[in-house]
Amino acid sequence: MHSIILFAHGARDPEWARPLQRLREAVLARRPEADVRLAFLEFMTPSLPEAIDAAAAVGATDVAVVPVFLAQGGHVRRDVPAMLETACARHPALEIRLQPVLGEAQSVLDAMAEVVLAG
Amino acid sequence: MHSIILFAHGARDPEWARPLQRLREAVLARRPEADVRLAFLEFMTPSLPEAIDAAAAVGATDVAVVPVFLAQGGHVRRDVPAMLETACARHPALEIRLQPVLGEAQSVLDAMAEVVLAG
């Protein structure tokens, strides 16, 4: 089974996660059979390691970790690879793949530019 | 003159601002006559008040402030209105408008979902 983990920063305000939940729904609307989970760096749960454990527990064979960040900062460059290394060691049969940061995709930037101008 | 200020969090790593610069270019590609500026909450310059001052200095009559955040957290809900209030007092002739957070637009979430699945 293919799992997708949408990994975001997190915030103290529970409302902050709402667009992430909407992103999860948008992914599921396109691929209803996928196992799509949220994970957070801080303030919110589950953590990325917890989400990977949960995906493995329900029988995932591969996991795509998608950083839902606007840009690749220190969190994505340093913290995520370290977490994934630990997760790989815990789940040697699981293929874990790190996708590029979402905010750097040209199609996402183009969609943002259109919204800026629709204002 | 119409100014657009793309307001983002900022980070210690100068590379972090690159997608923001690409967003600015994507907006300018669609509206070359617009005055489009970046501004940052922390770690990077200019600040939002500085960017508004700069827009006013080059003759802006109205400014659209666009929070380039994934979700509306404390920064956008508390810090930005306070900064805009001060800026309005400094520039009474300038019309300053706060647009919704970019990451909450459905078209942006849809573009992200497509990128997630394109892997």
Side-chain angles (χ1 to χ4, degrees), chain A residues 13 22 30 77 106 114, chain B residues 22 30 77 106 114:
Chain A
D13 181 352
R22 287 172 58 205
R30 288 162 172 80
R77 212 171 37 251
Q106 190 59 47
E114 297 290 344
Chain B
R22 288 173 57 206
R30 287 163 173 79
R77 212 172 36 249
Q106 190 61 45
E114 297 289 345

Side-chain angles (χ1 to χ4, degrees), chain A residues 7 65-69 71-72 76 97-105, chain B residues 115-116 118-119:
Chain A
F7 175 63
V65 175
V66 186
V68 190
F69 286 73
Q72 174 160 312
V76 179
R97 202 161 34 90
L98 180 60
Q99 288 188 196
V101 166
L102 275 191
E104 298 197 357
Chain B
V115 174
V116 167

Side-chain angles (χ1 to χ4, degrees), chain A residues 4 6 8-9 11 13 15-20 22-23 26-27 30-31 34 66 68-74 77 97 99-100 102-119, chain B residues 4 6 8 11 13 15-20 22-23 26-27 30-31 34 66 68-74 77 97 99-119:
Chain A
I4 297 170
L6 304 171
H9 191 285
D13 181 352
E15 284 294 296
W16 188 88
R18 211 179 31 185
L20 280 302
R22 287 172 58 205
L23 176 58
V27 173
R30 288 162 172 80
R31 196 164 302 172
V66 186
V68 190
F69 286 73
L70 286 166
Q72 174 160 312
R77 212 171 37 251
R97 202 161 34 90
Q99 288 188 196
L102 275 191
E104 298 197 357
Q106 190 59 47
S107 57
V108 173
L109 291 170
D110 285 338
M112 286 182 173
E114 297 290 344
V115 174
V116 167
L117 291 171
Chain B
I4 297 170
L6 304 172
D13 180 353
E15 285 294 296
W16 188 87
R18 211 177 33 186
L20 281 302
R22 288 173 57 206
L23 176 59
V27 173
R30 287 163 173 79
R31 196 164 302 171
V66 185
V68 190
F69 286 73
L70 286 168
Q72 175 160 311
R77 212 172 36 249
R97 200 159 36 89
Q99 289 188 196
V101 166
L102 274 192
E104 299 197 357
Q106 190 61 45
S107 58
V108 173
L109 291 170
D110 285 339
M112 286 184 173
E114 297 289 345
V115 174
V116 167
L117 291 172

Side-chain angles (χ1 to χ4, degrees), chain A:
Chain A
M1 190 183 62
H2 179 57
S3 282
I4 297 170
I5 298 179
L6 304 171
F7 175 63
H9 191 285
R12 285 189 179 83
D13 181 352
E15 284 294 296
W16 188 88
R18 211 179 31 185
L20 280 302
Q21 286 152 357
R22 287 172 58 205
L23 176 58
R24 178 176 178 272
E25 285 156 18
V27 173
L28 279 173
R30 288 162 172 80
R31 196 164 302 172
E33 73 283 8
D35 175 58
V36 186
R37 296 163 185 278
L38 301 183
F40 301 94
L41 182 70
E42 52 188 12
F43 303 120
M44 292 174 159
T45 57
S47 67
L48 181 52
E50 286 167 349
I52 294 173
D53 288 353
V58 298
T61 49
D62 69 277
V63 174
V65 175
V66 186
V68 190
F69 286 73
L70 286 166
Q72 174 160 312
H75 293 315
V76 179
R77 212 171 37 251
R78 286 189 311 267
D79 305 347
V80 173
M83 282 189 273
L84 294 189
E85 206 169 310
T86 310
C88 285
R90 280 170 62 85
H91 304 287
L94 193 62
E95 189 189 318
I96 304 177
R97 202 161 34 90
L98 180 60
Q99 288 188 196
V101 166
L102 275 191
E104 298 197 357
Q106 190 59 47
S107 57
V108 173
L109 291 170
D110 285 338
M112 286 182 173
E114 297 290 344
V115 174
V116 167
L117 291 171

